[in-house]
Amino acid sequence: MLNEKIPKSCLRASERGLGFKLIMNCNSCPPVIISCCPYVGSTYEVNRRFIFAMRLLGIGLVRETRFCGIMDLHGPIFQTTYDLIVNNIESSSDAVCKPILRRSVEEEKEKKMEATAWEDLEGPTKGLFQVTGHGGNENSILCR
């Protein structure tokens, strides 16, 4: 009875780059399909992660394919999928980077406006302090 539930065959299917599905077959139950990782958009997540990591290292598709060959892995992906993933990474980076840069520019403008406001308040006597002497004489001292 226990031997009936042990898979009789295990097939690798739906290979896309480094991602794949396993199909487990046994005598007494329907086939079970197991995905190696989530399938996002048009490719497996492992492909996106692999390309992102390699891009961080400055490695393109040709070297990624060579790396997979040396490591005896299935080839990463085709050029069209690679281009889609790289464009996705670029648009995601832009979506994060632009608001951050915009916010820092606004903060810098606010700091500049505050500094300018203080300069306007000081007016033409900027750098001059009025000091009252012993005899009631007022003297101006230039401070720099």
Side-chain angles (χ1 to χ4, degrees):
M1 188 101 158
L2 182 62
N3 289 337
E4 291 178 5
K5 294 191 177 186
I6 295 175
K8 298 297 180 182
S9 68
C10 180
L11 304 171
R12 193 170 173 164
S14 184
E15 292 182 8
R16 290 190 176 199
L18 299 173
F20 58 90
K21 289 182 182 178
L22 291 176
I23 301 174
M24 309 291 280
N25 292 316
C26 69
N27 292 340
S28 62
C29 52
V32 176
I33 299 172
I34 303 168
S35 184
C36 74
C37 63
Y39 192 79
V40 181
S42 61
T43 187
Y44 288 102
E45 183 180 7
V46 67
N47 293 328
R48 291 177 188 221
R49 289 176 177 264
F50 178 73
I51 298 224
F52 182 72
M54 291 299 198
R55 292 287 298 184
L56 288 176
L57 297 172
I59 297 173
L61 182 60
V62 173
R63 286 186 174 169
E64 290 170 12
T65 304
R66 189 176 301 151
F67 173 81
C68 288
I70 292 169
M71 297 301 295
D72 198 25
L73 299 170
H74 191 270
I77 49 175
F78 293 111
Q79 182 71 47
T80 53
T81 308
Y82 176 81
D83 292 339
L84 288 171
I85 292 173
V86 169
N87 289 339
N88 186 301
I89 292 170
E90 181 183 2
S91 64
S92 300
S93 300
D94 282 347
V96 171
C97 184
K98 285 182 180 178
I100 291 172
L101 291 176
R102 200 173 295 123
R103 188 175 336 134
S104 47
V105 166
E106 292 300 321
E107 287 175 9
E108 190 63 31
K109 283 180 182 178
E110 288 174 10
K111 288 180 182 179
K112 182 70 175 170
M113 288 172 61
E114 287 174 10
T116 305
W118 278 105
E119 287 176 9
D120 290 344
L121 287 176
E122 293 174 354
T125 60
K126 182 179 179 185
L128 293 177
F129 291 96
Q130 301 297 325
V131 178
T132 305
H134 289 288
N137 300 338
E138 291 189 3
N139 301 317
S140 295
I141 300 172
L142 181 62
C143 297
R144 290 187 184 185

